[in-house]
Amino acid sequence: ENGKDDRPLIAQLGGDDPKTMLQAAHHLEPYVDGIDVNFGCPTEDARKGGHQTHSPRCRRYGAYLLRDTARVTRIVGTLASGLRKVPVTAKIRLLPQRRASIDLALAIEESGAAALCVHGRTLAQRPKYAEKHGVESLAPDWDAIAEIARVLKIPVIANGGIESRTDAQRCLSQTGCAAVMSAEALLEKPDLFVEDEEPAIPRMLRLSREFLDLAERHPSPLKYPPTKSHLFKILRRLIGVDQAQARRKAAAGEPLTEREKLKLALMCCPVSDFHAIRNALDHMEEKA
């Protein structure tokens, strides 16, 4: 709702056509404090590009542009020179060779970026490959981020492997970056940067209730709001994430674990029935 306290507010754009992205940025410019360019997304959507109905010219975006330095710099340069009221930043992943990562970061800086966020993993380091290569293969390379931070003049923000306040402090110390960013971990722990010794389960339930209060106070205009999706993220370590298995076992009349019963109770709540969702949370607290 464009709250005055929710600042600075930065909008992120993904795409591969500089002119189209500048047009989009001009629409956003009056309402935000900065425009960030997404060169970090490793998903299949980023690989396939835009949807035929509304962005057919976008062939790919995110981390799939990183090997095309010329296109990356054209995008950043077009936005940096075309926007007058807000700065332009960028987020990248590491390339397989450290020297290539440094050269790309320098090129983005030269193109006019005001800051650069570096995710310390390559395109190939994705959770879906963990079973094949081992969890250790997903470890972020903070040393590579540190080297980029040393050679750039603009602020560098470190990303990857930030799952606690302690991680954030350790990353700042090791990389010398101006700041750190957390993504997935913040969905599970919205108060990640708060120093808190509260036990895990009471913390999850407290955060779930606080989030539910906010969702009710600020109703989503979406037909299918992501309210329960966020709750499942926050409650992941309590009830798990595999909803399909619980649904399949329930349909087949198979015995459910206590964890699956708690999960299924939340799954069955209508997304707009806040009273039912609160009852499901209360039940979790009783069983925890």
Side-chain angles (χ1 to χ4, degrees):
E1 295 246 354
N2 199 25
K4 294 179 180 179
D5 296 330
D6 192 16
R7 316 300 289 206
L9 178 63
I10 297 176
Q12 187 182 69
L13 296 176
D16 66 348
D17 181 67
K19 291 182 180 179
T20 302
M21 293 180 70
L22 180 59
Q23 290 173 354
H26 277 311
H27 286 296
L28 293 165
E29 192 174 20
Y31 309 103
V32 299
D33 302 302
I35 298 289
D36 185 67
V37 184
N38 178 352
F39 296 120
C41 183
T43 66
E44 288 303 301
D45 285 340
R47 183 182 66 81
K48 294 176 182 177
H51 194 279
Q52 289 299 313
T53 59
H54 57 265
S55 53
R57 289 189 295 174
C58 178
R59 291 159 294 189
R60 63 200 185 285
Y61 64 90
Y64 295 92
L65 296 177
L66 291 177
R67 291 186 180 277
D68 190 347
T69 303
R71 185 174 294 274
V72 167
T73 55
R74 279 201 304 274
I75 291 171
V76 174
T78 298
L79 293 180
S81 61
L83 297 175
R84 293 288 179 262
K85 298 178 180 178
V86 299
V88 174
T89 61
K91 182 184 179 185
I92 65 171
R93 278 181 171 246
L94 295 175
L95 290 166
Q97 295 77 36
R98 186 173 295 190
R99 184 66 248 178
S101 299
I102 294 171
D103 289 344
L104 177 64
L106 286 167
I108 290 173
E109 178 181 55
E110 182 67 24
S111 298
L116 179 68
C117 179
V118 182
H119 186 128
R121 298 183 179 94
T122 66
L123 178 58
Q125 288 178 283
R126 297 177 58 190
K128 73 174 187 176
Y129 301 127
E131 187 173 331
K132 180 179 179 181
H133 301 295
V135 176
E136 63 278 359
S137 67
L138 301 181
D141 188 349
W142 288 354
D143 290 338
I145 299 177
E147 193 164 349
I148 291 173
R150 281 195 293 271
V151 300
L152 263 59
K153 297 181 179 65
I154 59 175
V156 174
I157 302 163
N159 177 229
I162 310 296
E163 297 186 4
S164 67
R165 180 184 173 90
T166 300
D167 288 339
Q169 293 170 330
R170 187 163 54 86
C171 183
L172 285 173
S173 175
Q174 184 172 327
T175 63
C177 284
V180 298
M181 176 186 291
S182 181
E184 283 292 322
L186 274 172
L187 295 176
E188 183 179 337
K189 302 176 184 176
D191 62 349
L192 183 150
F193 294 117
V194 176
E195 193 163 2
D196 193 348
E197 299 300 323
E198 185 180 7
I201 292 178
R203 180 180 185 176
M204 283 186 274
L205 291 167
R206 174 181 59 80
L207 289 171
S208 296
R209 290 182 174 114
E210 287 181 12
F211 168 72
L212 199 60
D213 289 343
L214 289 170
E216 188 171 25
R217 196 179 311 151
H218 305 283
S220 171
L222 300 175
K223 184 178 181 180
Y224 301 107
T227 309
K228 290 202 297 182
S229 298
H230 283 299
L231 286 174
F232 276 111
K233 286 283 189 180
I234 296 171
L235 296 164
R236 184 178 75 86
R237 296 179 192 270
L238 177 60
I239 60 175
V241 294
D242 190 352
Q243 299 178 41
Q245 183 178 7
R247 187 180 289 111
R248 179 188 60 76
K249 288 175 68 175
E254 297 177 16
L256 298 171
T257 65
E258 190 62 44
R259 197 182 200 195
E260 288 169 338
K261 291 177 183 176
L262 295 174
K263 185 188 308 181
L264 200 62
L266 180 57
M267 290 166 57
C268 292
C269 295
V271 71
S272 58
D273 191 340
F274 293 99
H275 179 71
I277 296 174
R278 287 191 176 92
N279 284 340
L281 294 175
D282 291 342
H283 185 59
M284 287 182 198
E285 188 168 30
E286 291 171 6
K287 295 294 182 178

